[in-house]
């Protein structure tokens, strides 16, 4: 594990798209998905993250072990977007993905990303911040609980995708 002297969190810019796509693919592998399940491409990410109507935002975490900007390594990312709570009458921040490369885990990078996301949520007057975690990912579950996250076990995620989405739209 690298000895880290500095962790920087910054918003992603369009030139970071190849790095973002790499994180998406490594996260999918970590979550035991087949490689073909990642349909995202650089073009889709450019269009949907940096186009005229961005649907989501990305924070990147970099580490620098030598205080030399040229030696910074992007170590993790968080992709998020805003939703809305009718009960709270306020926006919410939804964390879609959080991933730190294995060689940088345990350095506080995930925590720093979540702290920055909480600051964004407060700045935008969000009523809450939410995300899901796979039920087998015990290290992540314990980590989130240590930061004050509460399991919402009474809620079940529903999804309509692919042909089912097309069929529903045509009803």
């Amino acid at each position: 594990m690298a000895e880290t002297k500095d962790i920087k969190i910054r918003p992603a810019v369009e030139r970071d798209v190849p790095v973002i796509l790499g994180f998406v693919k490594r996260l999918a592998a970590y979550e035991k998905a087949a490689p073909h399940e990642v349909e995202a491409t650089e073009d889709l990410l450019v269009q949907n993250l940096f186009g005229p109507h961005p649907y989501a935002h990305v924070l990147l975490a970099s580490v620098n072990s030598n205080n030399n900007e040229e030696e910074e390594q992007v170590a993790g990312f968080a992709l998020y977007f805003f939703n809305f709570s009718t009960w709270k009458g306020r926006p919410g921040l939804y964390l879609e993905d959080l991933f730190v490369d294995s060689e940088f885990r345990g350095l506080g990078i995930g925590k720093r990303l979540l702290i920055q996301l909480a600051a964004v949520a407060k700045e935008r007057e969000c009523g809450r911040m939410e995300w899901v975690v796979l039920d087998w990912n015990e290290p992540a579950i314990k980590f989130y609980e240590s930061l004050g996250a509460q399991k919402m076990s009474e809620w079940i995620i529903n999804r309509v995708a692919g042909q089912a989405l097309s069929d529903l739209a045509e009803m």
Side-chain angles (χ1 to χ4, degrees):
M1 203 177 309
E3 172 113 358
T4 305
K5 293 183 181 175
D6 194 17
I7 299 170
K8 293 181 182 173
I9 309 294
R10 66 172 176 84
V13 295
E14 188 172 333
R15 73 176 175 273
D16 294 315
V17 164
V19 172
I20 296 166
L21 184 56
F23 278 120
V24 170
K25 289 178 178 181
R26 291 191 299 283
L27 173 60
Y30 177 79
E31 292 182 347
K32 303 174 185 171
H36 73 273
E37 292 182 72
V38 175
E39 298 176 13
T41 64
E42 288 185 15
D43 288 342
L44 284 171
L45 292 178
V46 166
Q47 174 186 335
N48 292 308
L49 297 176
F50 303 102
H53 303 289
Y55 290 101
H57 311 276
V58 176
L59 293 177
L60 294 175
S62 298
V63 296
N64 186 334
S65 58
N66 297 320
N67 287 332
N68 179 346
E69 282 190 27
E70 292 178 15
E71 293 186 31
E72 279 189 359
Q73 293 179 277
V74 182
F77 91 123
L79 187 144
Y80 66 98
F81 56 88
F82 296 97
N83 56 19
F84 192 82
S85 169
T86 55
W87 288 13
K88 292 199 172 284
R90 295 177 177 271
L93 187 150
Y94 188 85
L95 173 60
E96 178 67 24
D97 288 328
L98 174 71
F99 185 75
V100 176
D101 278 326
S102 58
E103 65 265 31
F104 299 106
R105 292 186 193 139
L107 301 176
I109 294 167
K111 183 176 182 179
R112 288 279 306 275
L113 283 164
L114 284 168
I115 289 168
Q116 183 63 40
L117 288 169
V120 169
K122 294 302 285 182
E123 179 182 299
R124 295 286 297 264
E125 298 184 5
C126 294
R128 61 184 175 211
M129 187 166 96
E130 295 178 312
W131 61 91
V132 297
V133 59
L134 290 166
D135 60 2
W136 55 260
N137 194 345
E138 280 299 318
I141 292 168
K142 288 181 173 146
F143 169 63
Y144 297 143
E145 288 174 342
S146 77
L147 298 176
Q150 298 174 345
K151 290 182 191 174
M152 306 295 293
S153 58
E154 66 274 14
W155 292 89
I156 297 172
I157 298 171
N158 290 277
R159 178 177 294 160
V160 178
Q163 188 59 50
L165 180 60
S166 296
D167 292 348
L168 181 59
E170 296 299 319
M171 286 186 177

